[in-house]
Every structure is written in structure tokens, then in C-alpha cells.
Amino acid sequence: RNFGDNNVFVPTLTIFTTVLVIASTFHLFKPRQIKKVCLFGTSANPPTKGGHKSIISSLSSLRSSDNLKSAKKFDEIRVLPVFKHMYSTKGDLASFHHRMEMCKIAFQDIPNINVSDQERKLFDYVAKKQGITSESEKMKLRVGTFDLLDYLDEENRNKGVKEEFTLAMGADTFMDLTTLKKWKKPKEIILMVEGRFVVKLRLGENSFSKSQILERIKTVNRSFQEEIPSFQMRVELITESSSDTSSTAARETRDEEQLARYLDKNVIDYIKTNNLYMFSSQF
């Protein structure tokens, strides 16, 4: 009998539909994939091409092994402009909105980049936990990396999402954190990311050397292994030569030739259009 016969076609269609339903059902119960996310927090005031863009490009290019054909190390590089700096001496920030926009412009051509406003949402999260409702009181909050990771973890649980975080930072910041004394809950931070870091070494004077970083990693391992014998820091070092990276210098000049040493043209255009820094009407 041919497939035009209704007695054959209807059962065949029913079987096909049943198979699709079963396949879809099983898909729902597949183990959730863990998304590998590199977190890069920055003031980006403004984002420079020799500093911010350079390290973000390097993070985006990292591979899971030395084989250039291997998968990328991270599914996402999440750039987190600081909403309000922990230290009052660094409070001279352009508005969060402007720094978000400049980051989007500066990094738009780099693959797997997500410029996120989660730092702003973090303040709402911490304020709610502490029962703070006033905006003025909220702006007095001091939040740090521990609070951010705690917030991201809860957000992911609520969404049913699994993400594996790695922290990217400069050598100075890494050495500060790993004194285990200067930061808020430094040990908890290291455990929350399971020791995963990407540390940028900068060649030149007044910079920490590779050997100093490696020695610090050994010290941290020994400290943690007293309580968690299997603990191992997982740190990847990236090295870049010194270059014109000064956000401070970019904020303090109107000279476009000098600005071009520090910033991409489209970021310069944004600064001029929005009267930021030395292009403000007060100068």
C-alpha cells in the first residue's frame, strides 16, 4: 500500500509526532551546561585602548589549551563598570551611564563581550538585604567583590543558571587581594571562584614580576591547604608591555592628538558630544 493511503499516513504522522514530543521532553532534562564567565571590573573613566581594551582583547582570545584550534577559554567576558568606588579618593567618576556607554563603544568589536550593569543592580540587592530604602543611604553603601559574587550566585540560582566565574585583574590588585588582609572577606572571594584568576603582568618598573606572583600563589595554596588539602589556585598570567594607558591623562586634556594616544576615536567623539572631563562647560 502507498503512503497516500489514509490508513497508513495517519499512524505514521502520529508516530512521528510522538517521537518529537519524547525528544523534546528528554531535552528538558539534559544537564545544564556551565557557562564559563570571566569577570573584569573596572572604573573605565574613560576606557583606554592601551589598558582596558588591550586586556579585554587578550581575555577574549584566551584558549582552553595551548592548541590554537582549541575552544575559547571563556564563553563570555563580562565587563563590569564600577557603579560607586569603594574608596572615596576615587570618587571623581563620570556618571555610570556615560561609562557604560563608553565601554560599549570601546569594546564593541571584541567577540564574546558583555558590558553589564550588574554593579548598579548590586547596590539595590545589598540595600534590600540591609533593609535600606532611602536613595541617600543606599549611596553610602560600600560594596566589594565578595558582595558582587554573592549577588551573582543568588541571581543565577533564581534563574536556574550555572556559571563558573574567573576574576581578571592586574598584578597589583591580585597581590593586594592575596595578602588575605586588605579586602573584605578575601578568603571567601578566592573560594567562591575556586581559585580561578587571570592576572595581567605589565612589563616595566614598579611592577610585580612573574616570580613574585608565582611565589604568592604558593603561599596562598599553603594557607588554604591547611583546611582544604586538595585546594589549588588556578591562575593564568598574561603579559603585556607598558603603553599609554592613563585614564587620568585622558581626563585632563583637551588636546585631541594627545587623546588619540589613549582613547579610540569613537570614545573621544562620545566625550566631546557629551561634554565630559575637560570638554565640560566648566572648563
Side-chain angles (χ1 to χ4, degrees):
R1 301 187 316 182
N2 62 54
F3 285 98
D5 190 313
N6 286 338
N7 292 328
V8 176
F9 178 76
V10 173
T12 303
L13 181 60
T14 303
I15 293 168
F16 179 71
T17 305
T18 303
V19 169
L20 284 179
V21 170
I22 292 171
S24 299
T25 302
F26 275 101
H27 175 74
L28 294 174
F29 293 98
K30 280 184 178 179
R32 287 173 293 175
Q33 285 191 327
I34 298 176
K35 186 177 185 181
K36 296 184 177 182
V37 179
C38 183
L39 301 175
F40 180 64
T42 176
S43 297
N45 190 38
T48 61
K49 60 183 180 182
H52 301 95
K53 188 170 184 177
S54 174
I55 188 171
I56 290 169
S57 295
S58 296
L59 293 171
S60 178
S61 300
L62 287 176
R63 299 284 170 178
S64 55
S65 73
D66 292 335
N67 185 344
L68 293 177
K69 293 183 179 180
S70 64
K72 288 202 171 187
K73 187 178 184 74
F74 302 113
D75 300 307
E76 176 189 331
I77 311 299
R78 189 172 302 169
V79 180
L80 297 155
V82 170
F83 180 62
K84 177 177 174 287
H85 214 287
M86 275 281 283
Y87 304 104
S88 57
T89 54
K90 295 187 178 182
D92 58 337
L93 298 174
S95 76
F96 181 70
H97 167 75
H98 285 315
R99 288 180 292 112
M100 280 280 295
E101 291 305 309
M102 285 189 285
C103 283
K104 290 175 184 177
I105 292 168
F107 312 139
Q108 62 186 343
D109 57 343
I110 304 174
N112 303 332
I113 297 299
N114 172 23
V115 179
S116 169
D117 68 346
Q118 286 174 315
E119 276 268 357
R120 179 187 61 76
K121 293 175 180 176
L122 169 62
F123 272 76
D124 295 330
Y125 169 77
V126 174
K128 185 177 180 180
K129 283 184 76 171
Q130 296 185 13
I132 295 171
T133 55
S134 140
E135 284 299 318
S136 59
E137 289 300 311
K138 189 187 297 183
M139 291 310 296
K140 293 177 185 177
L141 286 171
R142 296 184 65 186
V143 301
T145 303
F146 170 80
D147 302 296
L148 175 66
L149 291 170
D150 181 54
Y151 162 65
L152 293 176
D153 184 52
E154 181 160 323
E155 189 177 57
N156 284 344
R157 282 200 307 273
N158 292 338
K159 292 180 178 178
V161 171
K162 285 191 175 183
E163 291 182 326
E164 175 187 281
F165 296 119
T166 297
L167 291 176
M169 56 185 59
D172 291 1
T173 307
F174 178 78
M175 293 296 272
D176 255 6
L177 168 63
T178 53
T179 61
L180 305 181
K181 296 175 182 177
K182 295 184 179 182
W183 286 39
K184 176 182 178 181
K185 299 189 177 182
K187 287 189 174 182
E188 288 87 342
I189 290 170
I190 293 170
L191 287 173
M192 287 168 92
V193 297
E194 300 179 323
R196 288 184 296 270
F197 293 87
V198 177
V199 177
K200 179 187 176 183
L201 296 174
R202 190 169 61 177
L203 301 178
E205 297 180 4
N206 305 317
S207 299
F208 286 102
S209 66
K210 181 177 180 179
S211 60
Q212 287 174 301
I213 298 290
L214 294 177
E215 190 57 41
R216 175 60 61 80
I217 291 169
K218 291 178 184 177
T219 301
V220 174
N221 278 336
R222 286 194 294 269
S223 174
F224 277 84
Q225 285 167 1
E226 291 175 5
E227 296 181 12
I228 310 170
S230 62
F231 180 84
Q232 285 287 336
M233 291 283 281
R234 289 174 278 180
V235 180
E236 181 154 357
L237 303 180
I238 56 176
T239 305
E240 298 194 13
S241 59
S242 298
S243 59
D244 288 327
T245 62
S246 176
S247 288
T248 303
R251 291 195 300 273
E252 294 178 350
T253 184
R254 291 174 61 98
D255 185 293
E256 292 194 41
E257 187 174 331
Q258 189 175 358
L259 278 172
R261 292 168 53 192
Y262 309 124
L263 311 175
D264 284 334
K265 183 182 182 304
N266 47 10
V267 175
I268 297 171
D269 290 342
Y270 183 92
I271 289 170
K272 291 169 63 181
T273 299
N274 291 277
N275 303 313
L276 302 179
Y277 310 124
M278 291 300 290
F279 293 92
S280 167
S281 58
Q282 65 181 328
F283 293 105

